[in-house]
Amino acid sequence: MLKSAAPKSLRWQRAKQSLLARQTDIFLSAARLMWYLWWDDTIARRFPQHRNRRAQWLVGTLLDLGPTFIKIGQALSTRGDLLPAEYIQALGQLQDRVPEFSADEAIAIIESELGSPLYTLYRDFDRNPIAAASLGQVHKARLHTGEDIVIKVQRPGLDTLFDLDLRVLRRLLRFCQRYLPWTREYDLEAIYEEFALVLYQEIDYVQEAINADRFRYNFRDHARITAPKVYPKYTTKKVLTMDYVPGIKINDRQSLEAIGINVKEINQLGICSYLKQLLQDGFFQADPHPGNMAVSPDGCLIFYDFGMMAEVKSIDKDQMVRTFFAVLRKDTDQVIHTLTTMGLIEPASDMAPIRRVMGFVLERFTEKPIALQEFSQVKQEVSALFAQQPFRLPAKMTFILKALTTLDGVARDLDPHYSLMESAKPFVKSITIAKGQSSGIGLGELTKQAREYITYKLRQPSPTERLIQRLEERLEQGEVELRSRSLETDRAIKTINLALKSLTYACLTGFSLLSGAVLLVGAYKVWAFAAFGLAGLGTLFLIRSLIALTIRERIDRLVK
């Protein structure tokens, strides 16, 4: 009889973890990632299949390194300013594909934390978990009073592993800041501190219970938004007990439509609930992936996981409100102004490229989901924009972007043609007719912006008038003339750079050949062959650079 092979043990599952062994694993993986990023950016930039393979390697490595790095990968999936698009796409699909731990371990933790034998606490307990992730797993049970519940049990040894990993990451951060000066511009220290704070909060189930109660209170007047009730008597730092609230996974469109659920309505409900969390409550679920959201048979939206919540301060919330309604109004200047005030855009001497790209995004993508391939229409402006690096992402925005991009993916699964503006209408309407204060939550800025938006829609000019206004603005600001000059200058600079690069490779190749010949005459054969090898490598780079220069010159002649 054939026996199935035991699943391969992952690096983070070793019984005893030493600081040196863990540091070696993490540092080698980080060094390999940096090498791949450099190689793909300089050598294989025209071969996206290479970057796709590297991206899949990164996902596998993060899963192998364990829970800390799975969470890092999920956070990095929003950081287009740090990683290439192929990596962002692969990390966006990263799930906690980790093996469950044994029911005996789970029972031991429950009994230790709650201080009583299992069947003194529960009438029934299902030993098979209904869900397992990197931080814990969930078992179904029934109380002696008859309520069906779920018990979330933290994975054994998780806090020790986090302590070890964060020590190593701190050392890696210091190494990068000392020996890799280019990493300083990304504010890695602030990102590390924010990530560590959220990570430890996520494994504190008492904090998660508090978050769940606060979330339920914020939506107490919304009958179609629900969250499981927490049982404080059966909850500790490592054990969380909540109501069993079954539902259909939110991205399971086929099952939803089979029971008569309107998926567009669910999309609208989800978008409006997040707008309320972000703009009104300032307290939002930072990880709205399909495993954390479901739909009940009567069409209610269910939120499950409250370990990864984030809070927005009131001053930032006001700025977000202004930005949101400026996006709806397609007010480019207001969007740029508020993003600059929030620190998301750094002021530049020439804001025209930023204004062009922002205008393009607002005009094309507020009525439908963003299709990134359509950015090819402004490829030169986008390239110039990121070359100047006017954008930056403060640590506090990482989780907002993670929530929004994840929610966008869920919305597309339900309705590939969903419109943000259409989905947001019920929220805008509810705020517009709001009066005064609501349970201590100030609605002043929100109401003001909503009413201004309604006024804007009523007074909106015709498409022809908008086109004329836009043309006048561009002529007044000199953008048309500036653009043509900028493109000519850009082409010339690129040609000069390629020529200089070719000259550098030619000098390196000639010097290596000469050095090899001298060493060979001097009977230093090993060093001579090393020099000849370097000359061969330089020749390959020279040929590649000359081909690129020839193609560039031909393209420039065609354009002229």
Side-chain angles (χ1 to χ4, degrees):
M1 181 178 176
L2 293 175
K3 294 184 178 180
S4 60
K8 179 185 173 184
S9 178
L10 302 175
R11 277 184 269 179
W12 64 275
Q13 292 179 300
R14 294 168 183 162
K16 292 184 179 179
Q17 289 279 2
S18 73
L19 179 62
L20 180 60
R22 191 66 174 163
Q23 181 171 304
T24 301
D25 278 345
I26 294 170
F27 269 61
L28 287 177
S29 298
R32 194 171 172 185
L33 173 62
M34 289 183 183
W35 166 256
Y36 284 159
L37 290 173
W38 175 84
W39 179 270
D40 292 340
D41 186 56
T42 57
I43 310 300
R45 63 172 62 189
R46 297 184 181 180
F47 302 99
Q49 62 271 24
H50 288 287
R51 291 193 294 275
N52 286 326
R53 284 202 299 271
R54 310 295 195 205
Q56 294 305 320
W57 165 84
L58 177 59
V59 169
T61 299
L62 293 176
L63 288 168
D64 197 22
L65 286 174
T68 312
F69 295 89
I70 291 172
K71 293 300 176 184
I72 288 176
Q74 291 172 343
L76 283 174
S77 67
T78 66
R79 299 305 300 263
D81 57 329
L82 298 181
L83 294 174
E86 291 81 4
Y87 288 75
I88 299 300
Q89 184 177 3
L91 290 172
Q93 300 166 357
L94 180 63
Q95 299 294 328
D96 292 351
R97 299 192 302 269
V98 296
E100 61 193 48
F101 53 94
S102 72
D104 290 336
E105 287 181 290
I107 292 170
I109 292 173
I110 293 170
E111 293 181 338
S112 172
E113 287 290 309
L114 299 181
S116 298
L118 185 72
Y119 287 103
T120 302
L121 298 166
Y122 313 112
R123 181 193 299 175
D124 299 310
F125 180 85
D126 189 349
R127 294 177 63 90
N128 296 316
I130 59 176
S134 57
L135 302 187
Q137 64 189 32
V138 179
H139 291 263
K140 187 181 175 185
R142 177 172 292 171
L143 295 175
H144 288 289
T145 50
E147 296 96 333
D148 287 328
I149 58 169
V150 291
I151 309 163
K152 187 175 178 181
V153 187
Q154 190 176 117
R155 189 172 286 275
L158 203 58
D159 48 357
T160 304
L161 182 65
F162 280 178
D163 291 341
L164 189 64
D165 285 348
L166 288 173
R167 283 178 64 189
V168 175
L169 286 173
R170 171 67 75 181
R171 292 184 179 185
L172 180 61
L173 182 63
R174 289 173 180 167
F175 175 85
C176 291
Q177 290 178 331
R178 178 175 296 180
Y179 298 107
L180 303 172
W182 55 269
T183 62
R184 295 171 191 162
E185 65 186 80
Y186 295 110
D187 199 13
L188 296 179
E189 182 77 27
I191 294 173
Y192 170 88
E193 295 294 343
E194 185 79 14
F195 176 76
L197 175 65
V198 172
L199 199 62
Y200 279 114
Q201 285 180 349
E202 196 169 359
I203 60 170
D204 182 352
Y205 289 171
V206 172
Q207 182 62 50
E208 181 171 350
I210 294 170
N211 292 341
D213 283 340
R214 181 176 173 183
F215 184 92
R216 290 178 71 245
Y217 179 80
N218 288 343
F219 282 93
R220 65 194 182 280
D221 298 325
H222 294 73
R224 297 192 63 189
I225 304 293
T226 185
K229 183 181 75 173
V230 175
Y231 291 82
K233 180 181 175 182
Y234 302 94
T235 296
T236 69
K237 282 194 71 171
K238 295 185 178 181
V239 174
L240 175 63
T241 304
M242 308 178 80
D243 268 334
Y244 175 59
V245 184
I248 300 170
K249 217 176 211 184
I250 192 169
N251 64 342
D252 189 351
R253 180 176 178 175
Q254 187 174 357
S255 297
L256 291 173
E257 290 179 333
I259 62 171
I261 299 290
N262 185 335
V263 293
K264 291 187 177 181
E265 193 175 313
I266 295 299
N267 236 356
Q268 195 174 66
L269 193 60
I271 296 294
C272 290
S273 71
Y274 257 85
L275 291 176
K276 180 183 184 305
Q277 292 176 56
L278 282 167
L279 303 180
Q280 189 172 343
D281 303 332
F283 180 72
F284 64 97
Q285 188 190 53
D287 193 21
H289 65 74
N292 289 344
M293 300 171 70
V295 181
S296 66
D298 58 351
C300 292
L301 187 59
I302 309 168
F303 287 84
Y304 287 127
D305 195 322
F306 304 95
M308 200 169 185
M309 304 294 288
E311 194 161 1
V312 183
K313 295 178 182 177
S314 59
I315 184 170
D316 296 329
K317 190 168 66 175
D318 285 346
Q319 295 288 4
M320 287 174 59
V321 168
R322 295 190 189 103
T323 305
F324 171 71
F325 284 100
V327 167
L328 295 185
R329 295 194 306 268
K330 302 182 183 179
D331 187 342
T332 304
D333 290 332
Q334 181 63 39
V335 171
I336 292 174
H337 173 73
T338 52
L339 291 180
T340 303
T341 304
M342 293 174 71
L344 294 181
I345 296 179
E346 295 177 357
S349 56
D350 180 15
M351 297 293 285
I354 301 174
R355 189 174 289 106
R356 278 199 300 274
V357 173
M358 192 64 70
F360 174 83
V361 172
L362 295 180
E363 188 63 35
R364 294 296 302 275
F365 301 130
T366 49
E367 303 290 345
K368 61 179 181 178
I370 296 176
L372 295 179
Q373 63 271 17
E374 293 191 33
F375 273 107
S376 60
Q377 297 180 33
V378 285
K379 184 177 180 181
Q380 290 170 319
E381 284 90 343
V382 173
S383 300
L385 191 61
F386 279 95
Q388 298 170 20
Q389 292 194 355
F391 285 104
R392 68 183 181 199
L393 291 177
K396 65 182 179 181
M397 292 301 296
T398 302
F399 299 103
I400 295 176
L401 288 179
K402 176 179 172 58
L404 293 177
T405 52
T406 308
L407 188 66
D408 176 74
V410 173
R412 290 190 198 212
D413 286 340
L414 285 178
D415 180 11
H417 305 290
Y418 89 97
S419 163
L420 173 63
M421 293 181 70
E422 287 298 319
S423 298
K425 278 183 179 179
F427 176 77
V428 175
K429 181 180 178 181
S430 68
I431 294 303
T432 306
I433 62 177
K435 302 289 185 181
Q437 304 290 321
S438 176
S439 301
I441 300 173
L443 295 178
E445 184 64 32
L446 207 52
T447 305
K448 174 186 172 185
Q449 292 293 332
R451 288 175 178 167
E452 286 183 2
Y453 171 67
I454 297 298
T455 303
Y456 156 80
K457 292 296 288 184
L458 293 174
R459 298 177 179 176
Q460 194 173 20
S462 67
T464 305
E465 290 173 331
R466 287 203 305 271
L467 182 62
I468 294 172
Q469 288 174 2
R470 178 61 182 152
L471 182 58
E472 289 175 349
E473 289 172 4
R474 297 185 67 183
L475 288 172
E476 288 174 2
Q477 295 167 5
E479 288 185 18
V480 176
E481 182 181 356
L482 177 63
R483 180 178 182 181
S484 62
R485 291 180 180 175
S486 173
L487 295 179
E488 289 177 7
T489 305
D490 190 44
R491 284 196 295 267
I493 290 174
K494 287 181 179 177
T495 303
I496 293 171
N497 284 338
L498 284 172
L500 289 174
K501 192 181 291 186
S502 301
L503 182 61
T504 302
Y505 290 144
C507 292
L508 175 64
T509 304
F511 177 75
S512 300
L513 283 171
L514 183 60
S515 299
V518 171
L519 291 168
L520 190 61
V521 171
Y524 296 100
K525 292 185 178 180
V526 175
W527 291 104
F529 284 124
F532 288 140
L534 183 60
L537 185 62
T539 302
L540 292 175
F541 282 111
L542 176 60
I543 293 172
R544 180 176 177 272
S545 183
L546 288 173
I547 292 173
L549 179 61
T550 303
I551 294 173
R552 167 62 58 183
E553 288 177 343
R554 289 183 178 179
I555 290 174
D556 288 347
R557 284 198 296 270
L558 288 172
V559 171
K560 291 178 181 179

